[in-house]
């Protein structure tokens, strides 16, 4: 049984979804390796391990991450890229982690998700295992004490509505043979270390693809060190090493 923590990247008409695959029995090992990286970043730059990390903001130098203003003034773009690399280096050491990315030529994220789940189904069937997906998204309000009944109800409706396309992909699978179990678990990245880890990998995979083929996203200036960070994960790439952990799929209704 595997848990798959998923986040997206890409832009325009090419989008990607990256999954961090963790066997249930190795979950604590994966978390230990990731938190080891978080502690190293905290020691080096003062980024507390419970601070939410978002790859775009981190790498592009947006927002504040450090405990003190003085630390944050020193934590500029070169250091932030180094922090990203440090995190992926620690993750690459974990034998209980595999990474996989599905890329599609579409801007419609639920269509990419359909391809991603198909990919997981094929992989899990070949491995004779099952997968539960934990997806970056709004799970609904954790505490409704400060909300009126009407606002709380609307917040829940909004969360359910946003999750509907992804839930529908799961429920469309054949019940007797499906390998991806249950509905996707929607989890706010602010409260999930491993979804944040998936986000770091997803952004690195995006820049790795762009470095490999600049025509994919002509307006993007790919960041070379992001590609290098992604290549550190080579021992953890799922599937054929020649594919570098990345699978291209035709989106539903696409060419």
């Amino acid at each position: 049984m595997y848990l798959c923590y998923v986040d997206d990247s890409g832009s325009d008409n090419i989008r990607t979804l990256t999954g961090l695959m963790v066997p249930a029995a190795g979950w604590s090992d994966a978390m230990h390796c990731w938190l080891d990286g978080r502690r190293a970043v905290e020691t080096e730059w003062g980024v507390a391990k419970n601070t939410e990390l978002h790859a775009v903001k981190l790498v592009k130098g947006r927002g504040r991450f450090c405990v003190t203003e003085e630390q944050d003034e020193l934590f500029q773009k070169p250091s932030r890229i180094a922090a990203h690399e440090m995190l992926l280096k620690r993750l690459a050491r974990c034998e209980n982690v595999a990474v996989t990315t599905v890329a599609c030529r579409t801007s419609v994220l639920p269509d990419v998700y359909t391809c991603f789940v198909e990919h997981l189904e094929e992989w899990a069937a070949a491995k004779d295992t099952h997968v539960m997906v934990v997806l970056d998204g709004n799970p609904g309000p954790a505490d409704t004490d400060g909300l009126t009944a009407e606002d709380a109800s609307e917040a829940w409706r909004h969360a359910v509505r946003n999750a509907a396309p992804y839930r529908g992909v799961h429920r469309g699978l054949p019940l007797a043979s499906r390998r991806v179990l249950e509905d996707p678990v929607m989890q706010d990245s602010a409260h999930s270390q491993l979804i944040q880890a998936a986000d770091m990998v997803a952004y690195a995979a995006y820049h790795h693809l762009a470095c490999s083929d600049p025509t994919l996203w002509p307006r993007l200036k790919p960041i070379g060190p992001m590609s290098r960070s992604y290549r550190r994960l080579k021992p953890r790439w799922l599937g054929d090493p020649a594919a570098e952990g990345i699978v291209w799929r035709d989106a539903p209704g696409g060419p």
Side-chain angles (χ1 to χ4, degrees):
M1 173 75 179
Y2 281 75
L3 295 167
C4 181
Y5 295 87
V6 184
D7 210 342
D8 69 288
S9 197
S11 61
D12 301 325
N13 291 322
I14 302 178
R15 302 296 299 273
T16 69
L17 281 170
T18 293
L20 201 68
M21 308 288 294
V22 180
W27 182 88
S28 59
D29 182 41
M31 183 65 80
H32 173 80
C33 289
W34 175 253
L35 290 178
D36 183 51
R38 290 299 308 254
R39 283 188 288 269
V41 169
E42 183 173 21
T43 299
E44 185 73 21
W45 292 287
V47 181
K49 68 181 180 70
N50 290 324
T51 299
E52 181 184 8
L53 293 182
H54 192 277
V56 173
K57 291 181 179 179
L58 178 68
V59 172
K60 292 194 173 181
R62 301 171 183 169
R64 176 177 169 175
F65 290 93
C66 299
V67 175
T68 69
E69 291 185 12
E70 291 78 10
Q71 289 171 322
D72 218 57
E73 287 175 1
L74 297 173
F75 191 51
Q76 298 304 312
K77 193 169 183 178
S79 296
R80 291 180 178 214
I81 291 175
H84 178 278
E85 185 168 16
M86 183 180 287
L87 289 166
L88 263 60
K89 186 187 295 186
R90 293 300 200 284
L91 201 59
R93 295 174 183 172
C94 184
E95 295 183 359
N96 281 302
V97 164
V99 298
T100 188
T101 293
V102 169
C104 293
R105 297 181 185 275
T106 178
S107 60
V108 182
L109 202 54
D111 285 351
V112 187
Y113 188 70
T114 298
C115 295
F116 186 81
V117 170
E118 289 173 353
H119 172 56
L120 290 184
E121 280 279 313
E122 292 168 8
W123 174 81
K127 198 171 176 64
D128 192 21
T129 190
H130 295 86
V131 181
M132 284 195 69
V133 176
V134 185
L135 184 63
D136 182 23
N138 180 5
D143 184 0
T144 59
D145 288 348
L147 301 174
T148 66
E150 183 177 352
D151 287 345
S153 180
E154 177 55 31
W156 278 110
R157 281 196 297 270
H158 180 71
V160 170
R161 190 163 54 244
N162 285 349
Y166 307 101
R167 193 166 54 245
V169 173
H170 287 224
R171 295 185 182 186
L173 297 171
L175 186 59
S177 61
R178 63 185 283 186
R179 297 287 179 157
V180 176
L181 303 179
E182 262 292 350
D183 294 340
V185 178
M186 307 304 288
Q187 177 73 283
D188 188 337
S189 62
H191 307 297
S192 173
Q193 290 281 357
L194 292 181
I195 284 184
Q196 291 176 44
D199 178 53
M200 295 291 131
V201 177
Y203 195 61
Y206 170 39
H207 280 270
H208 178 70
L209 279 169
C211 285
S212 303
D213 184 356
T215 66
L216 294 174
W217 294 280
R219 294 185 295 176
L220 176 69
K221 293 182 179 179
I223 302 172
M226 292 293 97
S227 178
R228 182 179 64 210
S229 291
Y230 182 74
R231 291 195 302 272
R232 288 189 180 279
L233 292 165
K234 183 176 181 178
R236 307 294 157 232
W237 292 342
L238 198 67
D240 183 355
E244 300 185 322
I246 298 169
V247 176
W248 283 90
R249 293 262 181 160
D250 292 332

